[in-house]
Amino acid sequence: MFGIIVSAFMLAFGIFLKITQNPGFARNKKFAWVFIAIGAVSLVFKILNYK
């Protein structure tokens, strides 16, 4: 269950980085797709593997 929450948080943070206009996060915008990809893939596999 903890893994699902962490994966969802990573996905949400990646989306936040992608859409934010805050100049403090400007240097981290290039990592947005990495967070989105890792969060989405791990969330899918954790949901499929959840028993």
Side-chain angles (χ1 to χ4, degrees), residues 1-8 11 36-51:
M1 187 67 173
F2 179 71
I4 292 174
I5 294 169
V6 172
S7 300
L11 180 62
I36 291 171
I38 292 172
V41 169
S42 63
L43 186 63
V44 166
F45 283 111
K46 293 219 183 273
I47 289 174
L48 291 176
N49 223 7
Y50 187 70
K51 296 178 183 172

Side-chain angles (χ1 to χ4, degrees), residues 5-17:
I5 294 169
V6 172
S7 300
F9 178 75
M10 286 179 63
L11 180 62
F13 185 67
I15 292 170
F16 166 75
L17 280 179

Side-chain angles (χ1 to χ4, degrees), residues 12-26:
F13 185 67
I15 292 170
F16 166 75
L17 280 179
K18 193 71 179 161
I19 63 173
T20 189
Q21 299 298 323
N22 189 333
F25 289 109

